[in-house]
Amino acid sequence: QSADRATIHRRRDLFDPAVQRIDLNAVVSPGDLLRRLRALTTSRVEEAAYFESGGRKYRVQVTITPESAV
């Protein structure tokens, strides 16, 4: 990756609500949402994406499993 296109992310950046919070009213492509959920799925649920509903916070983690070839 060329230096002018490189990005740096620190672990503490994960805890920013702008990174973790999913706006349930936002229009987003399925691919973008899956990439974001995958990026925020770690072994620690507190690092996961979340949405809020009914005054409660719900954490979201994903597992993507390819189907076996038939």
Side-chain angles (χ1 to χ4, degrees), residues 21-24 50-58:
R21 186 174 178 275
I22 298 170
D23 180 353
L24 296 178
Y50 69 87
F51 65 91
E52 296 174 310
S53 180
R56 294 191 66 185
K57 186 184 283 189
Y58 297 88

Side-chain angles (χ1 to χ4, degrees), residues 63-70:
T63 301
I64 300 172
T65 306
E67 287 189 22
S68 32
V70 179

Side-chain angles (χ1 to χ4, degrees), residues 1-57:
Q1 183 175 16
S2 64
D4 62 326
R5 295 188 64 198
T7 58
I8 296 174
H9 300 283
R10 292 181 174 77
R11 188 169 176 278
R12 71 175 176 255
D13 296 338
L14 290 176
F15 298 100
D16 181 349
V19 173
Q20 287 184 310
R21 186 174 178 275
I22 298 170
D23 180 353
L24 296 178
N25 296 311
V27 177
V28 61
S29 75
D32 287 343
L33 180 58
L34 283 172
R35 279 187 287 281
R36 185 171 173 197
L37 293 174
R38 186 207 48 80
L40 291 169
T41 296
T42 68
S43 61
R44 300 177 59 167
V45 73
E46 63 271 10
E47 295 175 348
Y50 69 87
F51 65 91
E52 296 174 310
S53 180
R56 294 191 66 185
K57 186 184 283 189

